[in-house]
DNA sequence: CTCCCGATAT
DNA sequence: ATATCAGGAG
């Protein structure tokens, strides 16, 4: 007998009052910056990514810069973020695709974004929502998945199936901020290993709350 | 499904 | 020591 899911119409206002300035914690200025930072963010912390991009964005500004970069040098720059060979290959492949197919610019369409090397639906949603203010979908990363499961908003584990459940219950105008709210709350309170349920603003409506 | 990979928290 | 971190490709 599982408990009822947390009502979304209460979850969102509660989290908005807790995190009124919710936005990405990745540092970026241009859409290309954000695309690179998001590729680097796979299985890495935002703090670590920001440390890497602080160096990276000084050396490379355009798709041409990344495409022309010495691969071994770029790997050295990327290394602290982890998966450095895959990520370097993705960044340079993505940069070449931007040059050959999109005049060196970051495209604003989901289909074009996910066609880029190293860019999946999660990364595409980050770029669309934050760089272009297009609520095309909901970013489902490790935090959004974990909190959505704990709150009972979905029973799915596959990110695309979770997104399909979430877009049905979250107002479209909140799609981008919603993922930021869950990500921030996931980092600070509803952590993977030791969730701080006693200090969680959602503990009275969360079916997974452990107040012992 | 496995592999990719370094840094940090527990 | 081990789980985890703004995933994606083969």
């Amino acid at each position: 007998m599982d408990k009822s899911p947390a009502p979304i119409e209460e979850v969102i206002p509660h989290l908005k009052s807790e995190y009124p300035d919710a936005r990405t914690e990745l540092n970026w200025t241009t859409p290309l910056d954000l695309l690179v930072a998001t590729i680097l963010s796979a299985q890495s912390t935002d703090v670590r990514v920001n440390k890497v991009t602080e160096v990276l964005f000084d050396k490379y500004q355009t798709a041409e810069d990344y495409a022309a970069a010495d691969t071994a040098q770029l790997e050295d720059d990327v290394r602290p973020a982890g998966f450095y060979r895959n990520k370097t290959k993705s960044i340079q492949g993505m940069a070449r695709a931007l040059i050959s197919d999109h005049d060196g610019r970051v495209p604003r369409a989901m289909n074009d974004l996910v066609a880029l090397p190293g860019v999946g639906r999660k990364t595409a949603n980050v770029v669309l929502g934050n760089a272009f203010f297009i609520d095309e979908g909901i970013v489902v990363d490790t935090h959004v998945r974990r909190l959505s499961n704990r709150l009972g908003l979905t029973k799915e584990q596959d990110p695309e199936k979770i997104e399909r459940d979430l877009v049905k219950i979250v107002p479209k105008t909140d799609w981008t901020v919603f993922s930021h709210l869950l990500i921030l709350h996931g980092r600070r309170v509803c952590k993977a290993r030791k969730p701080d349920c006693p200090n969680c603003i959602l503990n009275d409506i969360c079916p997974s709350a452990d107040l012992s």
Side-chain angles (χ1 to χ4, degrees), chain A residues 82-138:
Chain A
F83 296 161
Y84 65 93
R85 279 187 287 254
N86 286 347
K87 289 176 181 176
T88 299
K89 188 175 297 182
S90 293
I91 290 170
Q92 291 202 293
M94 172 274 290
R96 293 189 199 101
L98 291 188
I99 295 167
S100 61
D101 301 341
H102 302 287
D103 198 31
R105 308 284 299 173
V106 178
R108 300 176 181 236
M110 173 65 72
N111 292 346
D112 291 331
L113 285 167
V114 296
L116 300 170
V119 178
R121 189 174 175 86
K122 178 260 171 179
T123 298
N125 272 330
V126 169
V127 172
L128 288 172
N130 295 279
F132 298 134
F133 305 102
I134 300 171
D135 285 307
E136 174 88 14
I138 294 179

Side-chain angles (χ1 to χ4, degrees), chain A residues 66-187:
Chain A
Y66 288 108
D70 177 69
T71 301
Q73 180 56 54
L74 188 55
E75 284 183 346
D76 283 340
D77 296 330
V78 167
R79 181 167 290 111
F83 296 161
Y84 65 93
R85 279 187 287 254
N86 286 347
K87 289 176 181 176
T88 299
K89 188 175 297 182
S90 293
I91 290 170
Q92 291 202 293
M94 172 274 290
R96 293 189 199 101
L98 291 188
I99 295 167
S100 61
D101 301 341
H102 302 287
D103 198 31
R105 308 284 299 173
V106 178
R108 300 176 181 236
M110 173 65 72
N111 292 346
D112 291 331
L113 285 167
V114 296
L116 300 170
V119 178
R121 189 174 175 86
K122 178 260 171 179
T123 298
N125 272 330
V126 169
V127 172
L128 288 172
N130 295 279
F132 298 134
F133 305 102
I134 300 171
D135 285 307
E136 174 88 14
I138 294 179
V139 171
V140 180
D141 71 335
T142 183
H143 298 293
V144 174
R145 181 184 65 197
R146 184 179 67 255
L147 270 69
S148 295
N149 285 137
R150 285 180 176 170
L151 289 166
L153 304 179
T154 180
K155 293 180 179 176
E156 301 290 348
Q157 296 302 320
D158 175 64
E160 293 202 14
K161 293 179 181 176
I162 293 174
E163 184 179 357
R164 261 178 261 150
D165 283 345
L166 293 178
V167 295
K168 286 187 285 188
I169 60 174
V170 177
K172 187 165 186 174
T173 51
D174 282 333
W175 282 0
T176 297
V177 71
F178 179 72
S179 54
H180 291 317
L181 292 170
L182 290 197
I183 289 165
L184 289 176
H185 196 58
R187 287 190 185 131

Side-chain angles (χ1 to χ4, degrees), chain A residues 4-18:
Chain A
S4 52
I8 191 69
E9 64 273 18
E10 294 184 39
V11 169
I12 294 176
H14 277 87
L15 290 178
K16 279 184 177 177
S17 69
E18 192 83 343

Side-chain angles (χ1 to χ4, degrees), chain A residues 26-40:
Chain A
L26 295 171
N27 293 334
W28 60 282
T29 50
T30 70
L32 180 60
D33 284 351
L34 182 60
L35 180 51
V36 170
T38 309
I39 288 173
L40 292 176

